Each structure stands twice: as C-alpha cells, then as structure tokens.
Amino acid sequence: MADQSLVGSSRIDLDEPRYDQNTFKGRAKHFFITTNPLNLFTSSSQLASAKSIVEGYRNGQIFPGKTDDDIWRAKHLYDSAFHPDTKEKMFILGRMSAQVPMNMTITGCMMTFYKTPMAVIFWQWFNQSFNAIVNYTNRSGDTPIPVSQLGLSYVLATGGAMATALGFNKVVKSMSPLIGRFVPFTAVAAANCINIPCMRSREIMKGIPIFDERGQRLGESTAAAKSAITQVVFSRILMACPGMIIPPFIMNVLEARPFLKKYPYMNAPIQVGLVGMLLVFATPLCCALFPQKSSMSVTSLEQEAQDKIKKLTDKPIERVYFNKGL
C-alpha cells in the first residue's frame, strides 16, 4: 500500500470538513467528532502539537511520516479547542466537546429537582448561565457580540425559563405526576425561543452575509438570517427532546420500584446517566439536521436583496448560500 505521508501531489483542504456536508451522514460524522467528550481530556501539550501541525500544514509545511489520518486527527483536536476566528484556546466549558457532559448533568438535575420553586429557580439559572458561557466562548471574532447584548439575552432567557417552569408547575399540580416531569422541557424550549433570537437580534435587523455557489459575496439578507435562526432554534429544541421526554417515563416506573424507594439519592445519578446516553447521539445528530452552509431561493429573499443581486450580475442566480450558525 502506498504511503500517505504528505509528500504527494494532493493536499488536504483543512478549511473544509473531512466529510461531505451535503449529506446528513457526512454532517453527522463531522459532529460526532466535534462533540466527542473525550476531547476534553486532551492535554495542553497535545493541543499545542495539534495547533502546530494544522498551522504549519496550512502554510505549506511538510510533515514526513504523517499520514492524512494523522493530519485530520490534529485538525479535529485543533477545532475542538481553538476559536476559528481568534485562534485562541477556548474556555473548556464553552467548547462543543463539553456540551454532552455539561448538558447531561444540568438536564438530569433539572428533571430531578423540579418540584420546589427554589430548585426550579436555581437549575434554570444554572442552565442559562452555562448557555451564556457557550455563547460567549463561541462568539464571532469578526463581529463579536457586545457584552450588553449577551447580558440582555441572559436576563431574558433566564427570566423566561423561570417564569415558564414556575407557571407550569402551578398549572400541573392537580394533574398526573408524570405531566409534572415535562415542565423542565417546556422551560428549556421557551428559553431557546428567547435566547437564540435575542443573541442574534443584530442579524435579524441587519442581515447575514449571503454568497453564490462559488463563494462570491452578494450582500446581506434579513430573510436568510431569519431562516438560519429558525433552523438553529428548531434543532436546539429537538436536541433536548430525547433526554427530556424519554427519561420521565422510565423514572416514573423506577420510582414505584423498591430500589429507588430504598435509595432515593440514586434518583439524580440515574437521570443524569439516562440523559447522557441519549445526548451522546442527540447532540451530533440534531446539529447535523441542516447543512452548516444553508441555502434558500433568491425569490424568498427580501426585495431589497433581490434587487441588489440583479444589479451585481447579468447571470441569473437561483439560490444563495449562508452560514446558519450553531
């Protein structure tokens, strides 16, 4: 078998993901790697080595003995820890690889301690605080989110989640205990509907960059921004569904059994474990629902954007492309 070391004529394009992003399978493979919690255990020296390899390779450096797989492994480690714009190492809790362990812990506790107002307030606040860390860590380096906007989003999302959870807790008091277990999910869904549009309100007002199929920038579009944000909100809510809808049925059965009656303190660990097993799959699969490089018909854009595109080129353009975000 021929050696795959980087002395051949073909070079890897490290600016694009390894797998075909036009297929759900390719996107799923990409996000399974990106959200892999094991990346959190990578040492600082390993991350520094991965960064050196990726940056050197991009500058044309040759690494004798390194195969394509070795380069891709370095790229995946690099992507898991370094900001794509600033190139700085990201705070560990804000990385995509921290999503599963952090969300399984927070979600499991939200679903365990949902009966008292103080517990609801604490875990909804904790959840939105973590979301704020993720949003800040993954902010754009070119157009950073102002601290004031981050703060407003944090306050509105936290307030919305608390109000939803406390309000629904009152409503379901007279209903089946099983119904009450779904209150945390309604709160999380409400918070996503508030938090994401608020965080990206500047995009809704001013638009996001749109491109033709060759990557030439055509301007900005508010219609594309609304489409992108809708996709993200939908995928985030769907991402929470398995971990917040399936465990309540299981826990409702287990709590009637002798084991949890004898060891009630095992309730939280069991729920955290159940949520974790589901999130390991739900997180990458829901991130992969829509292409990162999304598209829409030119006729679906606002009239101002359509007019600008017509002025830019004589050749008819049927679709435009844009980065939907995460």
Side-chain angles (χ1 to χ4, degrees), residues 140 142-143 145 149 196-197 199-212 216-232 291-296 300-302 304-306 308-309 312 320-326:
S140 169
D142 294 328
T143 54
I145 302 168
Q149 189 175 345
I196 297 169
M199 283 291 300
R200 300 177 64 174
S201 59
R202 180 177 292 186
E203 297 176 22
I204 296 173
M205 293 184 291
K206 298 186 177 181
I208 58 175
I210 52 175
F211 305 85
D212 63 18
Q216 297 295 317
R217 184 164 176 162
L218 302 172
E220 295 77 33
S221 168
T222 56
K226 292 171 185 175
S227 174
I229 292 169
T230 300
Q231 291 176 35
V232 172
Q292 192 65 32
K293 184 181 178 183
S294 194
S295 69
M296 64 190 301
S300 298
L301 300 175
E302 66 273 22
E304 182 181 350
Q306 292 186 45
K308 186 174 182 179
I309 291 171
L312 285 174
V320 294
Y321 300 83
F322 52 90
N323 182 0
K324 73 173 178 64
L326 286 173

Side-chain angles (χ1 to χ4, degrees), residues 35 93 95-111 123 126-128 130-131 134 188 192 236 239-240 243-244 271-273 275-276 279-280 283:
T35 62
L93 294 184
R95 300 175 191 172
M96 287 299 291
S97 48
Q99 288 292 296
V100 171
M102 286 300 296
N103 279 326
M104 65 183 274
T105 304
I106 294 170
T107 303
C109 289
M110 278 197 296
M111 294 170 64
W123 285 108
F126 197 97
N127 184 41
Q128 294 310 317
F130 171 64
N131 287 339
V134 173
V188 167
N192 275 322
R236 291 273 189 97
M239 192 185 299
M244 301 192 82
Q271 291 217 66
V272 169
V275 173
L279 279 178
V280 164
T283 300

Side-chain angles (χ1 to χ4, degrees), residues 91-243:
F91 179 53
I92 191 167
L93 294 184
R95 300 175 191 172
M96 287 299 291
S97 48
Q99 288 292 296
V100 171
M102 286 300 296
N103 279 326
M104 65 183 274
T105 304
I106 294 170
T107 303
C109 289
M110 278 197 296
M111 294 170 64
T112 301
F113 310 108
Y114 66 92
K115 294 181 179 179
T116 65
M118 287 307 297
V120 168
I121 289 171
F122 174 79
W123 285 108
Q124 292 298 336
W125 163 79
F126 197 97
N127 184 41
Q128 294 310 317
S129 297
F130 171 64
N131 287 339
I133 290 172
V134 173
N135 289 332
Y136 182 76
T137 303
N138 293 279
R139 69 198 183 279
S140 169
D142 294 328
T143 54
I145 302 168
V147 175
S148 59
Q149 189 175 345
L150 277 168
L152 177 62
S153 173
Y154 173 67
V155 170
L156 291 177
T158 304
M162 288 180 182
T164 302
L166 293 172
F168 271 89
N169 266 349
K170 286 185 178 181
V171 172
V172 303
K173 272 185 178 180
S174 58
M175 300 181 186
S176 164
L178 179 61
I179 301 298
R181 293 181 182 276
F182 295 107
V183 170
F185 172 68
T186 61
V188 167
N192 275 322
C193 291
I194 297 169
N195 190 22
I196 297 169
C198 184
M199 283 291 300
R200 300 177 64 174
S201 59
R202 180 177 292 186
E203 297 176 22
I204 296 173
M205 293 184 291
K206 298 186 177 181
I208 58 175
I210 52 175
F211 305 85
D212 63 18
E213 59 183 2
R214 294 172 297 175
Q216 297 295 317
R217 184 164 176 162
L218 302 172
E220 295 77 33
S221 168
T222 56
K226 292 171 185 175
S227 174
I229 292 169
T230 300
Q231 291 176 35
V232 172
V233 170
F234 179 78
S235 62
R236 291 273 189 97
I237 293 175
L238 200 62
M239 192 185 299
C241 282

